[in-house]
Amino acid sequence: MLVTFLPMNKKIQINAGSNLFHAAMENGIDFGGVCSGNRTCGKCKAMITKGNNRKYSKEERKLLTEEERNSGIRLTCCFTITEDTCVIISGKKEKQSQVSRKEDKIEDSFGNLLTNSLAKEHYGIALDIGTTSVAVRLWNLDRKEFIDEISTKNPQSLYGADVITRITYANSSGDNVRRLAYLIRECCNTLLLRLSAEHNINTNQIEAAVITANTTMSHLFLGKSVEKLAKVPFQGISYEGVKLKASDVGFQMHPNGQVYVMPGIAGHVGSDTLGCILAKDLNHAKGNHLLVDIGTNGEIVLAKEGELMVCSTAAGPAFEGASLHQGMRAIEGAISKVNIRNNLIEVELIGPEKGSALTYSMNRNGKAVGEIGDIYPIGICGSGVIEAISELLNNHIMDETGRLLGQEGDNNYVTLWKHHDKEVILTQKDIRELQLAKGAIYTGIMLLLKEAELSNSQLNYIYLAGAFGSNIDLKKAVHIGLLPPIEPDRINYIGNGALDGASKVLLGQISKAETESISKKIKHLELALCKEFQEEFLKAVNF
Ligand code: FES
């Protein structure tokens, strides 16, 4: 069937019976849904002006207003293609497609803009390609000034939520590696175009890009085989930094622009971990410091008087919200804080403006307290889950083995917020997922400390990095046993350390030669080969 996407006028042949959301994602079109097509977030809206002949699903009746349904708006993850279809993408996507057209024109008419000295300011981007999300930071290179940061879901998620399933898919055919490379390059380029459009920057003024990623994502970005990353001893093809021309990877930057993929460290410890090390200058740090970067993979760095040791552990996507019943990234509508007191459950959700938040309460009988505005909770992000579990434990709603009390079986759940037919719940299965993830990370920390002959009390600082909201309550992270028990003022949340490190390289604060040299000095501990792993994991898994 021929499906036309407007306003970019992209025409794609899609098989009848395909799901619109997934088929579009496979072709680099993201509708902005945050629940990965699970029909819970209500964000993947588009207007269907041709081929819209199917009844609205019960999820669409719940998540779309009557007015939206009457004007042909659908949730794309609920929509099946049965005939030639025309889809109008609204909001930010419209902006993106306008950008594409504008940039085509600019390339035709100006060619080598910089060599004509027409570009007054020079820009660069730092990118962090995670298994679940991709984040891009735009910098003015002349003034070394931060301009903006945006992120989106990694479109490869369609082919597996975690690194292992992504590798399995890639290994099943050579074409799959090419497809995954295409998807991630398209995604990075779309973010680049969006930033340049939102800040009125000619794409020819973007001269440099520095990419940081875990080893699997780096390999897939470069179109390299990931076969050896799937089996012991989990080796990548190479960990060297790679310099490319922008046109080699389809980035619409200055024609002579350079893309630098930072060097990795080991099979499952990539340049994102190196980025965190550079961000905190751990290779020069006095004393003992621990850095924990939590993504789909948990990477842990121990710096003992500047000597660096790393390991990685499969945390799964729970902390990034991807595998939970109503999990989502830390974006608008996500519950990021939970407090239970005086018979009230209070949730704080991320608001529409940067740094804004809204608070709602519900009594323990499930009745919302106070006014409900237009923006209400639609899911829960990693920091929200940590908070919820800590509060459930504190209030004896869950025991330290992770079992919800007073309820039997695995289909139990706790309602965190409810108003009429809208609700956000945390299920027993969600708790089990997070329990395994935090157990794996804590085990990695303990084994690194053992290897370095250090104890918790000898740690000067712990740095926590990852895709949490910036307000993560570190006391609660210690309370649930994610981090070792040291004084809260010696634990710092550093946000996206990988992107901080890539930005330092982009701005020339650390040379590429130094970056390569640091990566080669780091000692890697392979947890899969540690005899004590199982024993430590069993100790670490309880709350
Ligand atoms: S992606 Fe369709 S409802 Fe969330």
Side-chain angles (χ1 to χ4, degrees):
M1 302 289 127
L2 183 70
V3 182
T4 306
F5 294 88
L6 295 173
M8 68 276 253
N9 205 22
K10 190 165 180 171
K11 293 181 193 295
I12 302 170
Q13 285 293 344
I14 296 177
N15 290 340
S18 302
N19 176 282
L20 174 58
F21 177 84
H22 292 296
M25 283 279 278
E26 281 183 36
N27 287 282
I29 296 170
D30 182 0
F31 291 106
V34 295
C35 68
S36 305
N38 280 330
R39 304 177 170 214
T40 53
C41 73
K43 294 269 183 192
C44 61
K45 296 173 194 173
M47 184 183 281
I48 314 283
T49 55
K50 182 179 168 201
N52 188 1
N53 59 354
R54 296 178 73 86
K55 279 193 183 149
Y56 280 85
S57 63
K58 74 172 187 312
E59 291 87 357
E60 288 175 298
R61 288 198 297 277
K62 180 175 164 188
L63 295 165
L64 297 172
T65 63
E66 196 178 340
E67 198 184 344
E68 284 175 322
R69 293 197 301 272
N70 289 341
S71 54
I73 304 267
R74 307 287 316 225
L75 290 182
T76 53
C77 68
C78 300
F79 190 86
T80 306
I81 308 280
T82 53
E83 58 185 292
D84 289 352
T85 304
C86 182
V87 184
I88 301 180
I89 306 172
S90 61
K92 284 179 176 161
K93 305 299 161 220
E94 221 168 273
K95 248 188 183 171
Q96 281 173 25
S97 56
Q98 282 162 4
V99 177
S100 312
R101 292 203 304 270
K102 184 174 136 211
E103 297 308 336
D104 291 348
K105 239 167 99 193
I106 286 166
E107 276 203 0
D108 292 349
S109 43
F110 289 112
N112 268 348
L113 194 59
L114 271 181
T115 54
N116 290 337
S117 307
L118 290 175
K120 291 190 182 74
E121 305 264 322
H122 306 130
Y123 295 87
I125 51 169
L127 300 102
D128 174 32
I129 304 176
T131 311
T132 308
S133 308
V134 182
V136 183
R137 204 172 276 177
L138 175 68
W139 290 89
N140 180 308
L141 298 180
D142 304 299
R143 286 180 268 133
K144 303 209 182 309
E145 182 183 69
F146 166 74
I147 308 287
D148 198 1
E149 179 179 327
I150 55 172
S151 66
T152 192
K153 200 165 46 201
N154 185 333
Q156 297 174 340
S157 308
L158 278 175
Y159 301 101
D162 55 39
V163 167
I164 300 303
T165 43
R166 204 80 55 87
I167 292 174
T168 307
Y169 173 77
N171 288 347
S172 57
S173 143
D175 276 354
N176 292 352
V177 172
R178 276 191 288 281
R179 173 184 292 231
L180 293 172
Y182 168 80
L183 276 180
I184 192 60
R185 291 173 184 185
E186 275 284 298
C187 170
C188 295
N189 192 46
T190 303
L191 289 172
L192 182 163
L193 292 175
R194 195 170 127 197
L195 277 172
S196 61
E198 284 174 5
H199 296 278
N200 285 322
I201 293 167
N202 182 331
T203 49
N204 274 10
Q205 285 174 266
I206 301 177
E207 288 182 31
V210 174
I211 294 180
T212 177
N214 63 52
T215 307
T216 305
M217 294 305 115
S218 288
H219 274 53
L220 292 175
F221 178 86
L222 293 166
K224 288 190 208 164
S225 162
V226 287
E227 214 176 322
K228 288 177 160 178
L229 286 168
K231 37 190 187 251
V232 181
F234 306 113
Q235 299 278 327
I237 288 184
S238 80
Y239 307 122
E240 303 283 321
V242 179
K243 291 175 191 156
L244 298 156
K245 278 174 70 178
S247 54
D248 293 341
V249 285
F251 283 11
Q252 285 174 260
M253 296 165 46
H254 184 274
N256 299 327
Q258 195 187 68
V259 177
Y260 175 55
V261 183
M262 282 174 43
I265 299 168
H268 289 298
V269 189
S271 53
D272 48 354
T273 304
L274 180 63
C276 291
I277 291 170
L278 300 181
K280 296 315 294 175
D281 227 359
L282 289 182
N283 49 314
H284 294 128
K286 297 254 173 287
N288 307 313
H289 308 278
L290 189 72
L291 188 146
V292 187
D293 185 11
I294 298 182
T296 313
N297 234 26
E299 287 98 8
I300 304 152
V301 181
L302 181 65
K304 184 181 176 186
E305 301 294 347
E307 295 282 315
L308 298 165
M309 199 178 351
V310 296
C311 71
S312 77
T313 177
F319 285 111
E320 297 188 326
S323 59
L324 306 180
H325 178 66
Q326 281 178 283
M328 61 188 286
R329 291 184 292 129
I331 56 173
E332 182 187 333
I335 292 178
S336 61
K337 281 187 173 295
V338 178
N339 273 303
I340 304 178
R341 59 171 100 94
N342 301 334
N343 224 20
L344 272 189
I345 302 182
E346 187 182 276
V347 297
E348 186 176 298
L349 61 140
I350 299 171
E353 308 302 332
K354 236 179 190 161
S356 67
L358 295 140
T359 304
Y360 288 124
S361 300
M362 182 190 79
N363 67 27
R364 294 285 286 278
N365 298 325
K367 195 163 172 10
V369 176
E371 290 289 301
I372 308 297
D374 292 343
I375 295 163
Y376 47 81
I378 51 173
I380 185 161
C381 65
S383 62
V385 180
I386 290 171
E387 295 230 348
I389 288 181
S390 170
E391 290 293 307
L392 294 178
L393 197 56
N394 246 344
N395 288 274
H396 310 293
I397 299 166
M398 182 194 84
D399 68 17
E400 66 280 358
T401 69
R403 188 173 63 97
L404 286 171
L405 297 173
Q407 306 182 39
E408 293 303 325
D410 275 344
N411 294 328
N412 299 322
Y413 61 89
V414 178
T415 305
L416 298 174
W417 183 78
K418 183 174 170 52
H419 181 60
H420 298 313
D421 59 346
K422 300 176 179 34
E423 64 177 6
V424 177
I425 63 172
L426 189 71
T427 67
Q428 179 70 71
K429 200 165 155 284
D430 293 340
I431 295 170
R432 296 292 179 215
E433 287 247 357
L434 193 110
Q435 190 167 18
L436 295 177
K438 76 103 194 170
I441 288 166
Y442 200 81
T443 305
I445 295 173
M446 289 300 117
L447 292 176
L448 269 190
L449 286 171
K450 248 189 192 175
E451 185 73 17
E453 299 179 343
L454 290 174
S455 65
N456 289 341
S457 59
Q458 289 172 285
L459 288 171
N460 296 77
Y461 281 100
I462 297 177
Y463 300 105
L464 179 65
F468 302 109
S470 56
N471 295 326
I472 181 169
D473 187 324
L474 296 165
K475 258 197 238 161
K476 289 181 177 171
V478 171
H479 181 220
I480 69 159
L482 171 64
L483 298 175
I486 71 169
E487 294 84 358
D489 60 352
R490 290 197 283 131
I491 308 177
N492 292 316
Y493 176 65
I494 62 166
N496 191 334
L499 211 41
D500 291 346
S503 297
K504 277 186 163 183
V505 177
L506 175 75
L507 298 173
Q509 292 162 350
I510 299 169
S511 70
K512 294 189 178 84
E514 201 183 343
T515 305
E516 304 279 337
S517 145
I518 296 167
S519 74
K520 292 194 172 84
K521 287 186 196 147
I522 300 167
K523 184 177 166 195
H524 174 236
L525 180 70
E526 181 51 77
L527 293 186
L529 303 177
C530 283
K531 288 195 199 84
E532 307 103 307
F533 184 88
Q534 208 51 32
E535 191 190 328
E536 286 293 335
F537 182 71
L538 288 175
K539 281 193 247 163
V541 87
N542 274 0
F543 291 112

